[in-house]
Amino acid sequence: MSSGPDCRFCGAALSDVFLDLGLSPLANSYLRPEDLERKEPSYPLIAYVCAQCLLVQVPELVAPGEIFSDYAYFSSYSESWVEHARLYSEAMIARFGLGPEHLAVEIASNDGYLLQHLARRNVRILGVEPAANVAAVAREKGIPTVVRFFGAALAAELRAEHGGADLLIGNNVLAHVPALNDFVSGLRALLAPRGVITIEVPHLLELIRHGEFDTIYHEHFSYFSLLTLQQIFAAHALRIFDVESLATHGGSLRIFAAHEADSSKAMSPAVGRVLAIEREAGLDTLDGYLHFAPRVERIKSELLAFLGDQRARGRSVAAYGAPAKGNTLLNFCGIGTDLISFTVDRSPHKQGLYLPGSRIPVLAPEHVDQARPDFLLILPWNLRDEIVAQMNRIRNWGGRFVVAVPELEVLA
């Protein structure tokens, strides 16, 4: 037991540790060559579970403005994620009958990867994106984008200027919000009387089941089960009426919510099914959260043993990708350029930089053809199929792919 801060949802004192990953730099704070001269700031990376509401959370040690105002992640560089957004857009148009008279607002709209699909179908759109460099790319595509952090105050301004949102979208943003109650209050304030909120979050149940500890980092403030999401939304007079399980990000939930007073949305049996699965897994009791650490230690030891063995045999290992989750993995395991010589990434915004902590250089994918490593460790393991298809040419020289999570696996 260690004394922590207060729960960001219910205010209870936090003392139960879900996972302690030691000291780590910010997972998205990539280094420029001139930064290598300086010492990087590192912060404790401890995930607590609230004994009252069972929300798993990382304390806010760094203000969101330091993390998200200039951001290195551009959604459009993942083909599978853009396709995920297209399929979502088509499904929402069909299910809720969206057209030119409806307004769709996306919170954390990034570079317009999703709203572009709704715009093509003549739905009115508006993006909200705090990272100015990313929002600029969206605006160049013709996506109207407000460069602000979302919360109750901004919601009131947007409601006054644009009217209520018929579709209010938040994909992989709720975890990034330290002021959780202010954010959800803002969702309620912006939502039209019969509007729908859809939120996608990595599912805590899958994180626990599959050892996905690398999705824990300072920029991810909260980790959600449907049990806790239901409590949070109910506290703001919002009702979750449907849920879908998705394969994205190692297993996610897409929740559908409406105003409590909106009786036009029937409760889906899927909500009860997911809640039952979570209860069966023990997520309705504190004890269900307190046995995760040994599995994480096993993943660490397996990866270090593999990399050490390849080095002893004179084989080379490079990595693919520069995702935040990869930085959690590498820093927790203490891996640097002695074990992994470089990584490659398709995003030109990351090429030429260095990974925080490990200081592994990020190069263009073509560098793999020059270096011909024996193994390519896939850091964004949630995109493994897409990456294997893109980089399958490494098999021409006998190269093989490896993933470390949920367990070490050399791909056939």
Side-chain angles (χ1 to χ4, degrees), residues 176-229:
H176 292 279
V177 176
L180 193 55
N181 287 309
D182 180 62
F183 186 94
V184 180
S185 172
L187 294 178
R188 179 172 179 263
L190 185 53
L191 187 65
R194 293 212 165 185
V196 173
I197 298 167
T198 72
I199 299 282
E200 293 183 20
V201 293
H203 193 184
L204 179 61
L205 176 66
E206 300 302 329
L207 183 155
I208 294 170
R209 277 179 170 172
H210 302 298
E212 298 166 359
F213 77 93
D214 54 344
T215 59
I216 297 173
Y217 41 94
H218 297 103
E219 295 94 321
H220 271 179
F221 295 111
S222 303
Y223 305 81
F224 298 102
S225 66
L226 186 58
L227 286 159
T228 56
L229 283 168

Side-chain angles (χ1 to χ4, degrees), residues 302-318 338-340 373-377 398 400-402 408-410:
E302 286 177 357
L303 178 58
L304 287 173
F306 171 81
L307 294 174
D309 184 50
Q310 301 316 316
R311 183 173 61 180
R313 293 168 184 259
R315 294 174 181 160
S316 58
V317 181
D338 56 328
L339 294 174
I340 295 177
D374 297 296
F375 293 94
L376 199 60
L377 174 66
R400 289 189 284 174
F401 297 96
V402 187
L408 190 85
E409 182 184 359
V410 177

Side-chain angles (χ1 to χ4, degrees), residues 81-95:
W81 188 243
V82 174
E83 177 63 6
H84 172 78
R86 186 188 71 79
L87 293 172
Y88 162 85
S89 301
E90 294 296 326
M92 296 306 104
I93 289 168
R95 179 169 178 179

Side-chain angles (χ1 to χ4, degrees), residues 24-31 40-43 45 62 67-68 71-73 176 214-220 223 322-331 350 354-358:
S24 182
L26 297 178
N28 275 304
S29 296
Y30 298 88
L31 304 173
E40 290 173 75
S42 290
Y43 308 89
L45 184 50
V62 182
I67 301 171
F68 299 115
Y71 205 45
Y73 179 73
H176 292 279
D214 54 344
T215 59
I216 297 173
Y217 41 94
H218 297 103
E219 295 94 321
H220 271 179
Y223 305 81
K325 61 165 57 75
N327 294 326
T328 291
L329 174 73
L330 296 171
N331 286 313
K350 292 183 179 179
Y354 294 78
L355 300 183
S358 67

